[in-house]
Amino acid sequence: MTEEIGNTDLIERLLLITTLNSTLIHFLITSQVEGSIDPDRVDSLTQGLTRTRSWLEDLTNAPKIPPSTQNIVGLLVKRLSQIESVLPKLSLIAKQAEDNKTPTAEILSLLDGGEITHPAVKEATKAAVSTIQDDKLEPLVDFSSPQQAEPKEPYKKVGVENDEWGLIGQTQRMIQQYSKRCHALLPTFWLEVLRELHRYESSSPYIGDAIEMPARIVVRIVKGLLTEAPGARLLQDLMKKRAQENYLDASEIERVERAVSKYFSGLEDVLKGEDVNVQEKILDAHTAFDGFGWGGPDLEKRLIKRINQRCEEAMQNAETGSDPQRQVIYAEITKLLCKLQHAILAEPRLREILAQMKP
């Protein structure tokens, strides 16, 4: 039976498409400003766009909707479908870029003896390398200097996390304790973030702050979900209608890994001990915060608001701090939390949980 849609519902759906349009425009502008595309943000946009298109499709067959309005809505649905088909390709390109699979990186990889996968540069690069290799000219004098030691990495990821402050064990015990009555998937997502942060090490004196500062924010998020209103009640109610899930799948773990990797990449100059443009970092964080992912009207916003508050606090600490290195760390924490929020919205299970919590 076709759903009857009233004027109020029609207005709400058209306002929703307006909101989506403004979100897409903001995404395009900020991507140009940042010079990069966040794949998690692309995927979260795709999820929201799919739901919006589905709601609008209902209008095309709804009774009491004028034919002219149905035609306009039909055009909107068609355009959304076109965008929806392109976004996954954009996400794939963005993920490759985050994994340093850009053409420039691949050319350097080939020159170093590695493999190249980007088809657009494969033939041109091989031709260039062949030309170099075919040149038989030898220098009259060997000016080569003794081999220099490779510069030390500013940070590296290791196989096992180092729970230096006991935060992983503390959080794990908390989740185990409350998992008897609270749904554990969202807390488990943040636990994985905590673990991933502790899998990085560096000889820099700032590595402790780089790990502990975001880690304590993550612990606060988990504690809020399990022990404070409204999170605790919402997770308890969720247990009544959804089986317990206390593990992450491969896609969810991958998003956490990429987010934390991006975070440490943003701290590279700090960990190297080099000068950093603090104001530029703060502006980047502002751009990320402006694009914070709230999701659609079908999602429980009170939990999302808590993440937004943690972002805002980190942003304020970045702006008001007196230590430049800690200001940069707080700026990167802001970006990390925003990226993780987009990751939550992009993952079907996590997004579905937020939808099921909605009254």
Side-chain angles (χ1 to χ4, degrees):
M1 183 177 178
T2 305
E3 178 187 4
E4 183 171 322
I5 297 178
N7 289 336
T8 301
D9 199 6
L10 174 62
I11 292 171
E12 287 179 351
R13 296 186 192 214
L14 293 178
L15 286 174
L16 178 61
I17 190 66
T18 303
T19 303
L20 178 64
N21 282 340
S22 63
T23 302
L24 287 169
I25 291 170
H26 183 269
F27 165 70
L28 291 171
I29 293 173
T30 54
S31 296
Q32 286 289 330
V33 171
E34 294 172 352
S36 63
I37 296 173
D38 184 347
D40 297 309
R41 191 174 178 189
V42 175
D43 291 341
S44 68
L45 280 172
T46 304
Q47 293 279 344
L49 189 147
T50 301
R51 283 163 174 75
T52 303
R53 176 183 54 76
S54 176
W55 291 330
L56 287 177
E57 280 179 341
D58 294 340
L59 291 177
T60 58
N61 297 316
K64 298 185 179 180
I65 299 296
S68 58
T69 302
Q70 289 181 339
N71 290 337
I72 294 172
V73 172
L75 291 173
L76 287 173
V77 169
K78 183 178 180 181
R79 179 60 68 190
L80 289 178
S81 297
Q82 292 171 336
I83 298 173
E84 190 178 340
S85 67
V86 172
L87 284 177
K89 300 174 186 176
L90 180 62
S91 174
L92 180 60
I93 293 170
K95 286 174 184 174
Q96 290 173 342
E98 275 200 347
D99 292 336
N100 295 321
K101 295 297 184 183
T102 58
T104 302
E106 293 206 357
I107 291 171
L108 294 174
S109 174
L110 181 62
L111 291 173
D112 287 337
E115 290 293 325
I116 188 165
T117 59
H118 198 290
V121 297
K122 182 180 287 186
E123 292 303 322
T125 307
K126 284 186 177 179
V129 173
S130 176
T131 301
I132 295 170
Q133 291 174 342
D134 288 342
D135 193 343
K136 301 300 183 181
L137 292 177
E138 296 182 2
L140 295 175
V141 181
D142 185 3
F143 290 104
S144 60
S145 58
Q147 188 172 0
Q148 299 291 325
E150 292 186 5
K152 196 170 184 179
E153 293 177 318
Y155 64 89
K156 66 178 180 179
K157 182 178 176 179
V158 294
V160 181
E161 59 265 19
N162 176 18
D163 193 10
E164 183 175 350
W165 298 275
L167 298 175
I168 297 175
Q170 168 192 332
T171 306
Q172 200 164 11
R173 288 189 296 272
M174 187 190 308
I175 293 174
Q176 289 172 347
Q177 176 185 350
Y178 284 91
S179 63
K180 297 173 184 176
R181 58 180 181 272
C182 292
H183 198 274
L185 184 57
L186 274 175
T188 300
F189 174 84
W190 290 104
L191 174 62
E192 184 60 29
V193 174
L194 189 62
R195 283 174 168 159
E196 188 67 14
L197 284 166
H198 285 77
R199 291 182 183 126
Y200 284 78
E201 63 179 30
S202 170
S203 59
S204 168
Y206 297 106
I207 188 62
D209 284 344
I211 296 172
E212 185 182 8
M213 286 162 61
R216 292 198 178 277
I217 293 173
V218 170
V219 171
R220 185 180 174 189
I221 290 171
V222 174
K223 185 177 180 181
L225 283 170
L226 294 172
T227 67
E228 300 172 6
R233 181 180 58 78
L234 290 170
L235 292 180
Q236 288 175 24
D237 291 344
L238 189 62
M239 279 286 283
K240 300 173 184 176
K241 49 189 173 184
R242 188 181 180 101
Q244 182 64 284
E245 295 160 290
N246 52 11
Y247 66 92
L248 298 185
D249 62 28
S251 174
E252 292 157 353
I253 292 173
E254 180 194 350
R255 290 190 192 277
V256 170
E257 290 174 344
R258 284 194 289 103
V260 175
S261 174
K262 187 88 171 176
Y263 166 73
F264 278 101
S265 176
L267 294 177
E268 185 168 333
D269 288 341
V270 168
L271 298 177
K272 282 181 177 178
E274 297 178 354
D275 292 335
V276 185
N277 188 328
V278 176
Q279 290 307 311
E280 185 176 307
K281 287 287 189 179
I282 290 175
L283 284 174
D284 288 345
H286 263 298
T287 302
F289 187 48
D290 288 343
F292 182 84
W294 288 97
D298 59 323
L299 304 183
E300 172 54 64
K301 292 294 189 294
R302 286 172 291 177
L303 295 186
I304 297 176
K305 186 177 181 180
R306 291 297 182 93
I307 308 302
N308 182 267
Q309 288 172 339
R310 302 293 85 79
C311 290
E312 186 175 10
E313 290 167 0
M315 188 76 257
Q316 290 173 351
N317 286 329
E319 292 174 323
T320 60
S322 57
D323 182 289
Q325 284 74 25
R326 288 174 68 90
Q327 284 181 279
V328 171
I329 292 173
Y330 273 120
E332 292 298 329
I333 289 173
T334 305
K335 292 164 62 178
L336 171 65
L337 293 175
C338 289
K339 186 170 177 60
L340 289 168
Q341 174 60 21
H342 285 303
I344 289 172
L345 296 179
E347 281 298 319
R349 284 202 308 166
L350 297 168
R351 189 182 184 105
E352 188 177 88
I353 280 176
L354 291 172
Q356 287 182 322
M357 288 178 178
K358 179 80 173 179

